Amino acid sequence: KGINFDNFDKIPVEVTGQDAPSRINSFDEAGLYDAFLKNVRKAGFEKPTPVQKFSIPIIMAGRDLMACAQTGSGKTAAFLLPVLTGMMKSGLSSSQFSTVQEPQALVVAPTRELALQIFMDARKFAHGTMLRSVVVYGGTSVGYQMRQLEQGTHILVGTPGRLLDVLGKQKVSLEKIKYLILDEADRMLDMGFGPEVRKIVEDFGMPPKNERQTLMFSATFPEEIQKLAAEFLNDYLFLSVGRTGG
Ligand code: ADP
Ligand code: MG
């Protein structure tokens, strides 16, 4: 649904940076964790979109990534599938009874709708595994979200303001973060969340950029995004799919 594959072969794709791994042409050759591959099929995904063909092997290779691609190009699965695979391969900690949760992946998104969509996709792909996702966003009481968190959190998805509120309660530590994902980074900056995002990355013990894997997604690549990329990414590959302004 929603994806038009007809024109995909004509879309220009550009990868810039050292030692880029080659693209995949099917989900089977991606090396994804078996349960996720099954869930991808169940979701009706038959073949990867261009951003998925390039992003999945780049992320599986452990590289940082700045990816520019239009809305509707399949960016969510492009980062979730390799990140979830990496988490399963390195082993999930049993976090259910810990007083302080230590998620291994943090996804920051600009709006409640986007955060929820990412959370629901993560839940769909992780179906049948022990991997637990939790989403937090504003405009609703924090109590329910805190209880969800306390029941075990491997991947935390949220909007910047609510993430700061939650982190302030000291029930979640970012010290074990292996994957930091900033989705729709241009929108995040347009909405004025730059300071919040920087605070999340810098003030809560998240490992430095050479000790985590950072993935940034954006529809456009204006100067402020280039600045943020230089700040947060380490030896990254730049992927541009289709015509992206900036
Ligand atoms: P973006 O984040 O780039 O805006 P999404 O990840 O939200 O795009 O994907 C847009 C829509 O396409 C979603 O409904 C998603 O389920 C669907 N989709 C993503 N990848 C594929 C695929 N490989 N095959 C079929 N549908 C896909
Ligand atoms: Mg998206």
Side-chain angles (χ1 to χ4, degrees):
K1 117 191 157 208
I3 290 245
N4 175 10
F5 279 92
D6 295 349
N7 296 316
F8 269 174
D9 291 334
K10 296 169 204 139
I11 293 178
V13 179
E14 190 192 335
V15 183
T16 322
Q18 294 288 310
D19 304 318
S22 50
R23 70 166 190 195
I24 51 156
N25 287 304
S26 71
F27 286 117
D28 297 305
E29 58 184 285
L32 298 175
Y33 189 74
D34 213 45
F36 305 147
L37 195 58
K38 287 204 184 88
N39 292 330
V40 162
R41 300 259 173 258
K42 248 195 275 173
F45 293 14
E46 282 168 15
K47 54 182 179 177
T49 67
V51 71
Q52 292 163 0
K53 286 182 181 180
F54 288 84
S55 297
I56 291 173
I58 288 171
I59 299 168
M60 297 280 285
R63 299 294 300 271
D64 279 9
L65 174 66
M66 173 74 237
C68 294
Q70 288 172 2
T71 302
S73 56
K75 294 192 286 296
T76 317
F79 66 79
L80 279 179
L81 293 172
V83 164
L84 300 183
T85 293
M87 292 171 70
M88 292 307 287
K89 286 186 174 167
S90 64
L92 295 177
S93 52
S94 156
S95 56
Q96 199 177 350
F97 303 108
S98 318
T99 37
V100 175
Q101 290 297 320
E102 298 179 320
Q104 289 128 286
L106 175 67
V107 186
V108 190
T111 67
R112 162 195 181 128
E113 288 70 29
L114 279 163
L116 260 171
Q117 192 59 53
I118 296 163
F119 162 73
M120 289 191 298
D121 281 351
R123 219 172 41 173
K124 177 173 75 183
F125 293 137
H127 184 80
T129 72
M130 297 296 284
L131 203 146
R132 233 184 92 85
S133 309
V134 174
V135 63
V136 301
Y137 47 78
T140 176
S141 110
V142 76
Y144 171 80
Q145 296 173 356
M146 291 308 293
R147 284 194 295 280
Q148 291 297 308
L149 272 166
E150 283 162 15
Q151 284 169 36
T153 308
H154 299 111
I155 171 162
L156 175 58
V157 183
T159 51
R162 181 52 61 95
L163 277 171
L164 281 179
D165 291 345
V166 164
L167 290 168
K169 296 186 188 299
Q170 301 188 320
K171 298 272 189 192
V172 185
S173 157
L174 299 184
E175 283 171 32
K176 297 280 164 66
I177 290 292
K178 287 186 182 148
Y179 303 95
L180 167 65
I181 300 104
L182 304 182
D183 196 19
E184 306 229 1
D186 49 354
R187 250 178 106 189
M188 214 122 64
L189 294 188
D190 287 346
M191 291 171 74
F193 287 135
E196 281 88 345
V197 171
R198 288 187 165 89
K199 209 163 158 27
I200 290 165
V201 176
E202 286 157 12
D203 294 356
F204 293 91
M206 191 185 301
K209 61 182 176 180
N210 58 325
E211 289 170 25
R212 63 171 196 248
Q213 194 175 351
T214 309
L215 316 169
M216 278 177 61
F217 291 84
S218 185
T220 59
F221 198 53
E223 206 171 305
E224 294 85 89
I225 296 294
Q226 297 169 35
K227 251 178 68 186
L228 208 63
E231 265 178 65
F232 291 163
L233 302 177
N234 178 45
D235 183 28
Y236 65 97
L237 292 169
F238 177 83
L239 170 64
S240 156
V241 179
R243 264 185 302 157
T244 49

